[in-house]
Amino acid sequence: MSKSYAAIAAVINAMAPGNDPADVAVIRRILAFQFENVALADVLRERLQQIHVHGFDADHDLNHGRHVLPMAALTYLEDALTKLSGGQGTTGPVDGLSPEAPAAWPWRDFFRPADARTNLVKACALLLGAIDRLDGEGEAQAEPLALTCAAHGAR
């Protein structure tokens, strides 16, 4: 059983411990969220592009300092927040380079700011990469957070 499957099963069991019709409705909502949530699908698509199109897989990510991917995510998040607050944010890349990238951006290129939602999606995908990097170091929690929450009856 994969960690993901076990984590999802634990959440379902914590939210729907019995077999009554209300529990079935909870399970259906959880499954619908996983497979119908556009934002989640967009974040997964972006992460898959980072891995399979740009080659930024877990092995590649291990070549960066532990802070680099979260810092990149923060840069996209800050740009999104600026735009959501009515500001202009950062302009787009020029000839594939980003001379206008914020100082916190960890690379010379690859900063491609867009609208606020797209920037939020990129930030989330970068955070997934950061978590994968920690998992690759063996620094993950002893059990997934979902299992920990389920064990404590969190809803």
Side-chain angles (χ1 to χ4, degrees):
M1 176 185 320
S2 73
K3 285 184 182 180
S4 298
Y5 179 85
I8 293 166
V11 169
I12 289 171
N13 288 333
M15 294 177 69
N19 290 320
D20 64 45
D23 290 343
V24 172
V26 168
I27 293 169
R28 285 187 178 140
R29 285 197 309 272
I30 292 169
L31 294 174
F33 176 82
Q34 291 181 92
F35 296 109
E36 296 174 4
N37 185 284
V38 174
L40 181 59
D42 288 346
V43 170
L44 293 175
R45 177 194 44 77
E46 178 66 27
R47 182 64 187 141
L48 289 171
Q49 284 183 333
Q50 291 171 356
I51 294 169
H52 298 291
V53 174
H54 301 294
F56 304 147
D57 59 11
D59 289 335
H60 173 270
D61 293 344
L62 286 172
N63 294 317
H64 297 295
R66 302 171 94 207
H67 69 286
V68 173
L69 293 175
M71 185 62 70
L74 179 61
T75 306
Y76 274 117
L77 180 59
E78 287 176 338
D79 193 67
L81 288 170
T82 299
K83 290 173 179 171
L84 290 170
S85 299
Q88 181 179 358
T90 307
T91 60
V94 178
D95 295 330
L97 299 177
S98 299
E100 73 288 341
W105 182 248
W107 303 288
R108 175 76 176 120
D109 55 4
F110 301 115
F111 184 66
R112 295 178 179 90
D115 60 280
R117 185 186 186 284
T118 300
N119 286 347
L120 292 172
V121 167
K122 289 179 180 186
C124 288
L126 284 162
L127 289 174
L128 284 177
I131 294 166
D132 285 344
R133 186 193 189 288
L134 290 176
D135 289 350
E137 292 178 353
E139 295 216 2
Q141 297 178 9
E143 58 185 343
L145 180 59
L147 290 176
T148 304
C149 293
H152 292 90
R155 292 187 185 260

